[in-house]
Structure formats: structure tokens, C-alpha cells
Amino acid sequence: PIQPARPQNRGGDPMLRLTFPRVLLIIAALGSALVIQSAILARLGLPGATPDMLLVAVLVIALAAGPLVGTVVGFSAGVLVDIAPPAAGSLGQTAAIYALAGFAIGHAQFEAGRPEFAAVLLVGGVSAAVVLGQAILGTLLGQPEVTWSVVPLFVVTQFVYSALLAFVMIPAIGLLYRGAGDEGRFA
């Protein structure tokens, strides 16, 4: 008889297991980030780009969970951004970019095992790349909102804001993610 294929990571790394408490943590982190971003950060009037706390949450979750979860979480968060008011741009544009960013950072961190300072810089760099990717995609799709004279300012400020947010969010989400697993460390 033919046996069904078994997953390669059967019982492997416990950080890669997606348990129900981890799913609840991911949903709570994304919901909280969206509310804080739209209710508080968008109204601060900071110079340059608005800090994208939802993107940073996606990237930090991808650091903790790996590329597959990072891709799914990135796509889900991008759909939230695409449908949340004021929705500007094409439906699915942000979802595709966030999914790619979640995959990239989840894969890079999963392969390289970087220390925390490097992870903070990695989150800042990927966030800056997302801003640049959104500007390029917006130009290709003919969106008039893209102003290339301010894109460099947005890229630099998004890097700084995302690195600062990541400095706080990496230890917090990392601790909660480990504790929400089935290893029983903090549960």
C-alpha cells in the first residue's frame, strides 16, 4: 500500500508549530497594531511616513514563526489595510507586498538566526523596502498619489520608525509567542 507523505518537520522545531493560542496571539497582535496605528500613530503628525505598526507586527511575527506563517499573516494584514478606510490603491496591492515581506523576513531570519540588533535593523530595512515597493507598484498601476520627490524621505523615516517599533515589539511578541506554544514554558 502507498503511504501518505509525511511533513518534514514532524515534531521538529517547537517554534514552528502553530497552536491555537499562537493563532489567537497573532490575531490580537494584528488587531491591536491596526487600532493603534489608525487611532494614535496616524494622528501624531510625525515628519515623513506614518509609522506602520501593522507591518512591523507582521515582520516580527514572521521572525518568530517562519516564512509560511509570515506569508499568510502578511497577506491577511495587507487585506486589512486594503479594505480599511481610507482605502487608497488597488485591492490586493498591499496584501501582495506584505505577504512578500513576511515571506522574505521569515525566511531570512529562519535561515540565518540573527541576533536581536540585526533583527531590528532587518525589520527597519524590510519596512523601508516595502515603502519603496509600494511606490514602484503604485507608479506601474498609474496611481496619482505617488510623488517621487518625497519617496526618499518616506523610505528613511519608515526605516527609523520601524526599527524603533521593532526594538519594543521583538522581545514582547517573541516572549508571548514562545509562551503560547505547547512547550509549557510560560503557560
Side-chain angles (χ1 to χ4, degrees), residues 11 13-15 28 45 71 75 86 99 110 128-129 136 141-144 147 167 178:
D13 186 6
M15 289 299 288
T71 304
F75 181 80
F110 179 71
I136 292 170
L141 294 175
Q143 295 174 345
T147 308
F167 186 73
R178 281 191 307 272

Side-chain angles (χ1 to χ4, degrees), residues 14-75:
M15 289 299 288
L16 297 179
R17 284 193 225 124
L18 196 59
T19 61
F20 184 69
R22 285 184 175 160
V23 171
L24 291 178
L25 170 69
I26 290 170
I27 292 170
L30 294 180
S32 301
L34 181 64
V35 169
I36 291 171
Q37 178 178 324
S38 45
I40 298 171
L41 296 178
R43 297 174 188 210
L44 288 178
L46 295 172
T50 300
D52 196 345
M53 189 170 192
L54 188 61
L55 175 61
V56 173
V58 166
L59 298 177
V60 171
I61 290 167
L63 285 174
L68 179 62
V69 174
T71 304
V72 173
V73 169
F75 181 80

Side-chain angles (χ1 to χ4, degrees), residues 49 124 127-129 131-132 150-160:
S127 296
V131 170
L132 186 60
V150 296
V151 168
L153 174 67
F154 285 178
V155 168
V156 170
T157 54
Q158 191 63 257
F159 175 84
V160 171

